[in-house]
Amino acid sequence: MSPTDVVLDARVHAFDPAMHMAEEALRGQLEGAGWRFVQPVAAVTGRSRLSLRAAPDADSAQVSEALPGEPLELLWEDGTGWARVRTVHDGYLGWARADGLLPRGPVGNGEVTVTALRAHAFAGPRISRPVLTELALGARLTRAFGEVVEEEHRRWVPVLLPDGQDAWVQEAALIARPDVDVAELALRFVETPYLWGPQCVGTGLLGPDATRVRHVRAGVAA
């Protein structure tokens, strides 16, 4: 049995025997010659949720999902539009469409995180303006420079989407909840559809991911 079979788990260690690609951290731990070792490069998810799949194929099983603005590590690309990536906060490995990645987020006035189960980013500070993208609990946005705008009973925060586009999100969807109770947060997920992989409560949650998302969004280690 090879050292790879004994020690290395492909679910947590980035190596691909077919492509002979591996992350630099595995140098000296893989059998055979011809391996190409790469250093992970920082990246972020674009404005849409990004599926991480078990293989570079749209019909392959979804193993996890990255939310808009979520930090990732880009390991390598396969030349057909797919990229091997790892989520920074929990180390999930998967294949994602390369066009859903950005090298970095925009520069602004700090970061804001969506704390509502679901929200929308609008083209302007009115609900009648076009919706630019849907947002889910935990999505990360850059706070744009500028003042909060009041419109009737709503307060709108200027933000930058991960691709740099200007947008507006209701302040109520961004209110920090440092003292949130994990059990109370869990109750907000009642009747959420069960679906393998996603972290977005609007589309469904994987059982283990549901627990992880609740803890991570509440600021508690899962």
Side-chain angles (χ1 to χ4, degrees):
M1 186 175 292
S2 72
T4 299
D5 295 327
V6 174
V7 178
L8 300 182
D9 184 342
R11 294 173 298 180
V12 294
H13 296 286
F15 64 97
D16 187 328
M19 297 180 63
H20 258 65
M21 297 285 291
E23 61 182 320
E24 179 64 34
L26 299 182
R27 186 181 292 273
Q29 300 182 53
L30 298 170
E31 281 194 334
W35 286 95
R36 179 184 174 192
F37 295 94
V38 297
Q39 194 70 38
V41 176
V44 297
T45 308
R47 69 164 65 180
S48 301
R49 302 190 309 272
L50 187 67
S51 292
L52 272 62
R53 300 196 174 276
D57 184 336
D59 291 328
S60 179
Q62 180 166 279
V63 296
S64 190
E65 183 178 69
L67 296 177
E70 183 168 338
L72 302 169
E73 291 181 342
L74 170 60
L75 294 154
W76 59 78
E77 298 185 39
D78 73 345
T80 68
W82 290 89
R84 187 68 166 163
V85 300
R86 175 190 281 122
T87 56
V88 170
H89 76 277
D90 59 6
Y92 266 80
L93 282 166
W95 287 93
R97 293 297 301 172
D99 56 11
L101 303 173
L102 296 170
R104 66 185 64 83
V107 176
N109 191 25
E111 184 180 84
V112 292
T113 302
V114 174
T115 56
L117 295 188
R118 296 189 69 182
H120 295 91
F122 291 83
R126 296 186 67 87
I127 59 172
S128 59
R129 296 300 304 275
V131 173
L132 299 177
T133 190
E134 289 189 353
L135 302 168
L137 175 69
R140 302 181 185 190
L141 304 170
T142 300
R143 173 66 159 89
F145 293 99
E147 301 299 321
V148 172
V149 172
E150 294 192 15
E151 173 257 335
E152 296 182 355
H153 60 282
R154 306 177 186 89
R155 288 170 58 84
W156 294 88
V157 178
V159 300
L160 298 173
L161 299 180
D163 59 5
Q165 182 167 356
D166 292 310
W168 294 82
V169 177
Q170 290 191 50
E171 187 179 58
L174 304 173
I175 295 175
R177 307 176 189 275
D179 57 347
V180 66
D181 179 76
V182 174
E184 178 184 343
L185 179 59
L187 290 175
R188 298 169 65 192
F189 289 77
V190 172
E191 296 185 1
T192 298
Y194 185 94
L195 186 63
W196 189 271
Q199 297 186 51
C200 173
V201 298
T203 59
L205 284 170
L206 163 69
D209 269 0
T211 301
R212 177 170 53 84
V213 168
R214 290 194 295 267
H215 281 74
V216 169
R217 306 314 176 211
V220 179

